[in-house]
Amino acid sequence: QVHVVESGGGLVQAGGSLTLSCAASGRIDWPYSMGWFRQAPGKEREFVAAISWDVNSTKYRDSVKGRFTISRDGARNTVRLRMNSLEPEATAVYFCAVGAIPDVPRFSYNYAYWGQGTQVTVSS
């Protein structure tokens, strides 16, 4: 059984910063990427960022480039998302996911396991 658990969400003012963390536990028998998605009320889940198994590749949605940074620890089962200069439009539930491939997929069907999500609220 694989568990994916996010933490670090909360309330922050516009322009502020927040760091989300995610830990995957359990047996995963392939080299996996890890990614972040988000879902705002009434909207579809959207890709935010991903990092490859070898940490050499990252991918971001255009609207967060230069403000968000995804990183992965040496054990490779923990990923963080540093979010700077947050805007109210970033308000959403943020989900962490374990990729089914080692590269940096942006589509949800390329992810095998998902966390329950953590709420991020950015006030104006």
Side-chain angles (χ1 to χ4, degrees):
Q1 185 103 12
V2 175
H3 295 280
V4 180
V5 180
E6 306 96 337
S7 61
L11 174 64
V12 63
Q13 289 188 332
S17 298
L18 207 60
T19 298
L20 305 181
S21 296
C22 169
S25 62
R27 182 171 176 171
I28 304 174
D29 293 328
W30 62 88
Y32 54 94
S33 56
M34 295 189 77
W36 288 96
F37 288 71
R38 66 187 180 189
Q39 186 168 18
K43 295 188 177 181
E44 293 187 354
R45 189 174 299 188
E46 62 183 20
F47 170 79
V48 177
I51 188 166
S52 61
W53 166 254
D54 63 6
V55 305
N56 288 333
S57 298
T58 57
K59 186 176 291 183
Y60 299 90
R61 69 178 298 104
D62 288 345
S63 62
V64 308
K65 286 180 181 178
R67 298 185 297 116
F68 288 17
T69 302
I70 189 169
S71 61
R72 192 167 185 172
D73 71 351
R76 300 183 180 180
N77 66 335
T78 300
V79 65
R80 291 179 176 81
L81 184 68
R82 174 67 175 179
M83 305 183 293
N84 295 327
S85 303
L86 281 163
E87 302 168 342
E89 292 73 22
T91 295
V93 177
Y94 283 70
F95 297 90
C96 177
V98 171
I101 58 177
D103 207 345
V104 283
R106 64 169 55 240
F107 298 107
S108 59
Y109 57 72
N110 286 135
Y111 289 84
Y113 302 108
W114 294 80
Q116 294 297 307
T118 185
Q119 176 70 47
V120 172
T121 303
V122 184
S123 62
S124 58

